[in-house]
Amino acid sequence: MTLTLRILGILLSVVPPAIATLEFFPLWLSEGKTAISALSLVLLLLSAIPLFRLLKKYLQSPAPWMLWLCLWIALRAFLPIAAAIETIALVAFPTSLLGAVCFRLAKRREEKRGG
């Protein structure tokens, strides 16, 4: 019964403020869902303070399953951002590589003309 009340207390302390935050302040700034709103993130972190207190208590001597769960939750939360960054990197790497080749060729031409 005590555990049930604690879980209910955490849910009531965290979920309604988080839902209200997401209702009035969208987490994503753009239509493409690639930019996180800093205000929403701060308000969500404030909403999660009771959860952080609970996690701090249990993470003093964490079980491996708890660490893996926390890692999975964090990675799952950042999956859309990672996908967007992957797309940016897919475009930026080859174009930057070609740009570096162009700069190197320009430097060689300048050295030939100047030297």
Side-chain angles (χ1 to χ4, degrees), residues 18 97 108:
L97 190 60
R108 283 187 182 173

Side-chain angles (χ1 to χ4, degrees), residues 56-105:
K56 182 181 174 186
K57 179 180 174 183
Y58 287 105
L59 287 178
Q60 288 176 354
S61 59
W65 68 267
M66 186 178 288
L67 292 175
W68 284 112
L69 177 65
C70 291
L71 181 63
W72 179 76
I73 290 170
L75 292 175
R76 189 74 182 148
F78 291 114
L79 193 59
I81 299 167
I85 292 172
E86 180 185 20
T87 303
I88 293 167
L90 183 65
V91 171
F93 170 70
T95 56
S96 295
L97 190 60
L98 289 173
V101 169
C102 290
F103 283 120
R104 183 69 182 151
L105 290 173

Side-chain angles (χ1 to χ4, degrees), residues 8-50:
L8 183 61
I10 289 293
L11 290 175
L12 289 173
S13 298
V14 174
V15 175
I19 290 172
T21 297
L22 292 174
E23 185 68 29
F24 291 101
F25 300 101
L27 185 59
W28 305 105
L29 289 177
S30 65
E31 293 295 321
K33 297 187 178 182
T34 56
I36 292 181
S37 166
L39 178 61
S40 294
L41 195 58
V42 167
L43 292 173
L44 285 173
L45 289 174
L46 288 174
S47 300
I49 286 175

